Structures are given as C-alpha cells and as structure tokens.
C-alpha cells in the first residue's frame, strides 16, 4: 500500500507567467518500490529558476523538457522512509532530484541522490550554501570565471541565492563586488547584510549608466544570471580582456521561439572578452570538495544565505512566482508539513 501523495503535474506548456493554468495539484498513491528505488518524504522543495525552462517544449536546453502529464522535477531535501537501494537506509536525510510533491520516488543509480548530515546548524543550507547554488557560485567565480584579487566583479540577480553566493565568494577572493538587483530594499540588503561593495538598482534608471559610474575602469568579471538587456548593459562596460561567466539567462526561460542574442555582442571582439558557460550537474560530484572550501567562510559568518520560505505544497506556485518576479530575497523554499525545524 503506497503513501497518499500530492504532486504538481505539468498539464500543458505555460505561456509567460501563467503557471496556474499549466500545472495541476493531483493526488495519487506512491507506486510500489522496485529494486533500486528510494522513497523520500520531502521536507523542503528547492525552487529554482531553471525549472521554468523545463516546462517549455524547447529541445535545445541543457535538460530535456518535462513531458506533459508528468510531475515537475526539482531538488528536494527529505528523509528516506523506505529503500530498495543498498546504499540508502530508512531515516537517512538526503538531498535529491525528486518531485514537487509530498513524497519523491528516486533512483540513486540513475539520478542525483546524496545523503547529507543532520548536524549542520541549519539543514536548509543543504539547499543553499552547501548545495548546487553554492557550488555554482563558488566554481562559477573561482574556476570558470577565474576571479582574482583586485578584480572588479559584477553579478546580476544579486539578491537571489546563486547571485548572492557568487558575490560573497568573489568578495572572499579579494574582488570589488557590485550586485545588480531589483529594488532599493534589496540593494541595501546586499551591501549591508552580505557585504557587497556597491549595488545597482535595475528599476532605478539606466543600468549601463549606473555600471559606468561604479566601474570607471571596466568590469573584469561579469557573472550573468539573467541575459537580455542587463547582459548588454554589462557588455558595454567590460574591461579589456574581461571575462563573462554565463550562469543563467533567466529572462528568456519562458520563451519558446528564437531568443535574440546580446545586441552588444561586438564587444566580445572589441574588448577581447572570454565567455564561459557552466551547468551545475557537471560538477555535483565535486560538491563535498567545494563544501570543504566554503565551510570556514560560513563558520566565520562570511558566507550567508537567508530563506524565503512558503508553507504548504499547495502554495508552491505562489512561491515560484515570487522567485521569478524577484519579490523575495535569498533562497526560495517550500516547507512541507512534516519539516520539524
Ligand atoms: N548554471 C547553473 O548550473 C545554474 C545553477 C543554479 C542557478 N542558475 C541560474 O541562476 C539564476 C538565478 O536562479 P536561482 O534559482 O538562484 O533564483 P534566484 O536568483 O534566487 O531568484 C531569481 C532572481 O532573479 C532576479 N530577477 C527576476 N526577474 C528579473 C528580471 N526580469 N531581470 C533581472 N533579474 C530578475 C531577482 O533578483 P534581483 O531582484 O536581485 O535582481 C530574483 O530574485 C538563473 O538564471 C538560474 O538558471 C544556474
């Protein structure tokens, strides 16, 4: 007999911001486990901007589209309550690719499932500082972006989890850090609470002009999370031989048709820029190693992340709209009824 399981099912391809009509909350019993499965009781759902792209039909993305009629896939934190896999036991706390649901059935030999420690002071950080966002921030800045002390570093979506962690890592590596964010409140937050040197409010006039004022000698490393007009604004302010680390292109994730490239693409040649793109599943296996580097900064209070927590699986779409519209600060999570913190 399975568990009663509510999950969000993709019923059609959403248009623009209208998720509500594309997703249904349905209830079914969890299937009987077969060899190799683990059954996870989800305690937190990690909401991630990239999930919006998987809802589209585009075939040229880094992950295939979610098939219609299937649950929405996402990273979860939860407890193994039944296991048919030799490496996982009942009671294990795991971070895994699961579903936007009460319970996730995952197959560790085929998809990402990793046991994590309960001893962390805040287990939610397994989905933030010490999870894929932290690894992307660290490796995107330190390795793909080759940040070095003295660089002028700019990051977009700076109040969001990936941008904020990238900015804090760059600061630890000795860069001068400027965040592009979406309100005066968020600009104050990233400078006062997260130690950014300066902030650009993208709602407050011309972003290119603001960057020009803040970066008179140009941007050495731009860490992009959004693409579109903000990428153009950064490109026209790059320093000679600058680097552009493409982490995400959030403003185009809802698009189905051709996506215009940056209008300032000519700057790649004019400024002899180096572009690099990266995708976190390529380096999940390096997570433990990256976490060993991040831990001293975290313990010293130099690497912080706050949470935007929404209670209840039924409120997942409201939480997701808050993420994509930027109506929140920090890491977006949905807390399910059985979270015990
Ligand atoms: N390459 C990888 O492996 C990898 C891994 C994780 C995440 N990412 C990428 O990182 C980016 C951020 O994702 P996340 O899941 O961490 O979400 P997030 O940054 O926590 O939330 C999204 C943020 O985007 C900003 N934003 C929203 N609408 C915008 C708009 N129209 N123009 C500019 N900025 C806007 C808002 O921050 P502000 O108000 O501060 O601007 C908002 O808080 C996404 O592009 C995602 O795909 C990539």
């Amino acid at each position: 007999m399975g568990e009663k399981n509510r999950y969000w099912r993709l019923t059609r391809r959403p248009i623009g911001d209208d998720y509500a009509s594309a997703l249904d909350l349905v209830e079914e019993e969890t299937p009987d486990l077969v060899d190799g499965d683990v059954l996870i009781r989800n305690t937190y759902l990690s909401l991630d901007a990239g999930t919006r792209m998987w809802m589209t039909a585009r075939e040229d993305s880094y992950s295939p589209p979610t098939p219609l009629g299937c649950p929405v896939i996402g990273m979860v934190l939860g407890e193994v309550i039944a296991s048919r896999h030799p490496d996982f036991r009942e009671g294990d706390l795991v971070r895994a690719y699961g579903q936007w649901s009460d319970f996730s059935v995952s197959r560790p030999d085929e998809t990402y499932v990793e046991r994590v420690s309960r001893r962390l002071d805040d287990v939610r950080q397994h989905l933030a500082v010490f999870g894929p966002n932290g690894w992307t921030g660290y490796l995107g800045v330190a390795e793909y972006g080759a940040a070095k002390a003295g660089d002028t570093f700019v990051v977009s979506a700076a109040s969001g989890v990936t941008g904020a962690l990238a900015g804090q890592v760059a600061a630890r590596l000795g860069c001068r850090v400027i965040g592009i964010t979406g309100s005066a409140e968020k600009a104050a937050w990233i400078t006062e609470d997260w130690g950014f040197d300066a902030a650009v409010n993208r709602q407050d006039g011309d972003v290119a002009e603001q960057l020009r004022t803040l970066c008179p000698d140009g941007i050495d490393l731009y860490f992009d999370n959004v693409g579109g007009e903000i990428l153009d604004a950064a490109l026209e302010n790059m320093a000679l031989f600058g680097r552009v680390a493409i982490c995400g292109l959030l403003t185009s994730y809802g698009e189905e048709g051709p996506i215009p490239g940056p209008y300032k693409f000519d700057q790649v040649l004019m400024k002899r820029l180096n572009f690099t793109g990266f995708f976190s599943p390529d380096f999940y296996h390096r997570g433990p190693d990256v976490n060993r580097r991040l831990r001293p900064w975290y313990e010293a209070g130099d690497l912080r992340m706050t949470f935007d927590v929404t209670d209840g699986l039924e409120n997942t779409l409201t939480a997701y709209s808050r993420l994509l519209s930027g109506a929140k600060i920090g890491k977006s999570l949905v807390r399910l009824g059985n979270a015990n913190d």
Side-chain angles (χ1 to χ4, degrees):
M1 183 73 171
E3 304 278 352
K4 268 194 179 166
N5 186 31
R6 294 171 305 155
Y7 69 89
W8 284 100
R9 179 173 64 188
L10 185 66
T11 52
R12 64 180 72 90
R13 302 292 171 198
I15 298 170
D17 296 335
D18 180 17
Y19 315 103
S21 64
L23 295 152
D24 284 341
L25 186 60
V26 294
E27 185 175 305
E28 281 175 8
E29 282 190 359
T30 55
D32 291 336
L33 299 192
V34 298
D35 283 348
D37 284 347
V38 292
L39 178 62
I40 301 163
R41 179 186 285 129
N42 300 333
T43 50
Y44 284 97
L45 309 183
S46 163
L47 300 188
D48 297 284
T51 307
R52 176 66 187 85
M53 185 166 42
W54 303 345
M55 295 179 195
T56 69
R58 58 182 291 191
E59 298 283 351
D60 62 351
S61 143
Y62 45 46
S63 290
T66 302
L68 293 181
C70 288
V72 177
I73 304 295
M75 196 63 81
V76 304
L77 186 71
E79 181 174 326
V80 173
I81 59 163
S83 175
R84 297 277 302 263
H85 191 285
D87 298 342
F88 293 87
R89 286 208 305 262
E90 239 175 80
D92 283 347
L93 182 68
V94 291
R95 175 180 49 224
Y97 267 135
Q99 297 91 40
W100 283 9
S101 56
D102 293 313
F103 298 89
S104 296
V105 179
S106 298
R107 292 180 63 72
D109 292 338
E110 294 167 19
T111 190
Y112 173 78
V113 183
E114 184 177 356
R115 190 178 307 103
V116 294
S117 169
R118 290 181 191 278
R119 290 206 305 274
L120 197 56
D121 62 343
D122 180 348
V123 291
R124 299 175 301 180
Q125 295 292 5
H126 287 304
L127 294 176
V129 170
F130 298 114
N133 298 112
W135 308 337
T136 304
Y138 179 81
L139 292 173
V141 171
E143 292 192 7
Y144 293 95
K148 54 185 191 312
D151 277 350
T152 294
F153 174 92
V154 174
V155 58
S156 52
S159 75
V161 59
T162 311
L165 291 172
Q168 293 176 73
V169 165
R172 301 280 73 73
L173 297 177
C175 302
R176 177 171 167 260
V177 175
I178 295 151
I180 303 171
T181 187
S183 70
E185 183 206 356
K186 291 193 271 190
W189 185 283
I190 65 172
T191 49
E192 290 163 18
D193 288 68
W194 288 336
F196 282 53
D197 295 293
V200 165
N201 176 0
R202 63 185 156 84
Q203 308 288 4
D204 187 20
D206 188 330
V207 171
E209 189 58 45
Q210 294 185 64
L211 287 174
R212 201 159 16 259
T213 305
L214 287 168
C215 313
D217 297 325
I219 302 166
D220 298 300
L221 173 55
Y222 173 55
F223 188 106
D224 192 24
N225 283 314
V226 299
E229 290 172 7
I230 292 178
L231 173 57
D232 274 316
L235 285 180
E236 68 178 84
N237 281 289
M238 293 303 295
L240 197 60
F241 304 116
R243 286 100 61 210
V244 180
I246 301 287
C247 175
L249 299 168
L250 172 152
T251 55
S252 63
Y253 288 169
E255 306 287 331
E256 297 274 357
I259 295 158
Y263 293 101
K264 301 284 179 185
F265 188 70
D266 65 338
Q267 295 303 298
V268 176
L269 173 62
M270 305 311 163
K271 301 274 180 54
R272 280 80 95 197
L273 304 178
N274 209 320
F275 263 66
T276 183
F278 45 92
F279 181 43
S280 53
D282 295 342
F283 45 74
Y284 279 3
H285 63 284
R286 296 184 59 192
D289 176 43
V290 174
N291 285 348
R292 273 189 286 280
R293 295 172 201 219
L294 299 179
R295 187 170 276 274
W297 293 338
Y298 177 77
E299 286 175 352
D302 290 334
L303 194 56
R304 283 174 240 147
M305 185 45 52
T306 188
F307 295 93
D308 185 74
V309 179
T310 299
D311 279 305
L313 183 68
E314 62 282 6
N315 297 318
T316 302
L317 301 191
T318 309
Y320 200 55
S321 297
R322 285 171 63 74
L323 182 152
L324 285 189
S325 66
K328 54 86 191 172
I329 293 175
K331 173 71 189 175
S332 298
L333 296 177
V334 174
R335 177 169 48 196
L336 302 186
N338 38 41
N340 56 6
D341 54 74

